[in-house]
Amino acid sequence: MISIEKSSKPLSGGVFVPGDKSISHRSIMFGALAEGTTEITGFLEGADCLSTIDCFRNLGVEIEHSQRPMNGVPTITVHGKGLYGLKAPKKELFTGNSGTTTRLIAGILAAQPFDSMLTGDSSIETRPMGRIMKPLTQMGADISSIHDNDCAPLLIRGGKKLHGITYHTPVASAQIKSCILLAGLYSDSDTVVYEPALSRNHTEIMLRAFGADVHNEIDVQGSAAAILHPGTPLRGIRINVPGDISSAAYFIAAALMVPGSDVVIHNVGINKTRAGILSVLKQMGADIELENVDESIEPRADLHVRYSELHGNANGRFEISGKIIPTMIDELPIFAVVAATADCTTIIKDAAELKVKESNRIDAIVNNLKAMGVDVEATDDGMIINGGKSLHGADIECHADHRIAMSFAIAALAADGTTRILDDKCVGISYPTFFKDLNKLIK
Ligand code: S3P
């Protein structure tokens, strides 16, 4: 538990947020399947990514985790086994709280010659896995849910020959897409995944850098395809992971909400499939400047954020829906907090996926905002937030969800009185040094 008071001082100075979680996971996974070594700097040492390392070590992959003596930058070296070099695990693979680990690794395990069992913590055991079981089964995999409830634990029987498929996923989800593409690496023909809007495309970008033949296509209706042609081996590469925009979003929000703030968040990944939060906040009047933009394959920039009074359109409303939602799905909890302080009614639509994240985030956001005195109403696929009234301190139920804990720690800075984040430990899933970094900006 941690108590936070309203911030009497503006936030100022610069901060580096830890490495991008999605890219960190993938760097281990693809490195493990590549020939040769993959060297990773900027890796996120959060519990979720450590679960990925642990799973691949249990699959026989040597992964070194060292501090460079000269500059202290942690480097991870993955000694790749090639596509066909993984070993049967001696025990079940435990993915902790990590949906990304569970769903992506399932696509790899489906194509192995050995059986494996995948399980995780109590949250993972309630998250929907039918969404990957269905396409993997169509590809020829043998994957079943031990309790027959489409959730983990999952038993994956090896030794199956996989076939490429064309799959239309009803939800834009990078985890579903990536799972299918990874199984596609082992298939006898092309794999095509269509999604209603382009979800984060790190798998496509990174697999291509490792040597795979994969690309995205967007048709005139805006439907997005990822197309993978199997048969090329992966080769180890060097990866410098940019800072995670999902982590940066907390400090962006804090700077926008606390009067007088002026903050620079360095080296943040700004891949377009992740940067919806920036464009939405700018539409509401946020003063966010991109400095030192580096157009690497995963582009990055310093984000200079100054306190701003946020507003809606001329009619006092602001709506987000449709294709922008997947580009800011993990930022919706902190966006909702910012919206509660903005001078407008904010309507969030097409975000039913929030119900199946680490917690039911629609309920968690709405109930905690209500506890802080906000006029907010849950809808089937989002919420309606009548912003502009002052927030007051409250006890925040985190539901072991890192993004809820961090979002409401930021809300606390703008709320009268004391806010207690009842579970502060869960931030370690994606941002172990969150409170330390926040304190640096306040002092
Ligand atoms: C992720 C994809 C998203 C996101 C999650 C990470 C990824 O999940 O919410 O935190 O790394 O592929 P969905 O694919 O379920 O939308």
Side-chain angles (χ1 to χ4, degrees), residues 21-22 26 100 103 172-175 200 329-330 353 357:
K21 183 152 82 72
S22 295
R26 285 161 174 79
T100 307
R103 296 198 178 107
S173 156
Q175 293 181 358
R200 63 190 68 192
I329 189 73
D330 291 342
E353 275 296 296
K357 293 293 178 187

Side-chain angles (χ1 to χ4, degrees), residues 66 153 164 180 215 226 289 325 397 401-402 424 427 441:
S66 61
I180 300 169
H215 66 279
E289 275 177 89
I325 296 292
E397 296 285 354
D401 185 334
H402 55 132
D424 57 311
V427 306
L441 292 174

Side-chain angles (χ1 to χ4, degrees), residues 152-176:
L154 299 175
L155 172 63
I156 302 174
R157 296 258 181 225
K160 304 290 170 211
K161 261 195 88 53
L162 301 189
H163 322 290
I165 55 169
T166 294
Y167 193 73
H168 291 259
T169 150
V171 279
S173 156
Q175 293 181 358
I176 300 175

Side-chain angles (χ1 to χ4, degrees), residues 5-6 204 228 267 318 340 347 349 360-361 379 399 416:
E5 304 293 325
K6 183 171 186 166
E204 297 92 306
L228 181 130
N267 190 40
F318 190 79
I347 300 126
K349 285 187 182 167
N360 178 335
R361 286 186 178 159
T379 60
H399 307 279
D416 294 326

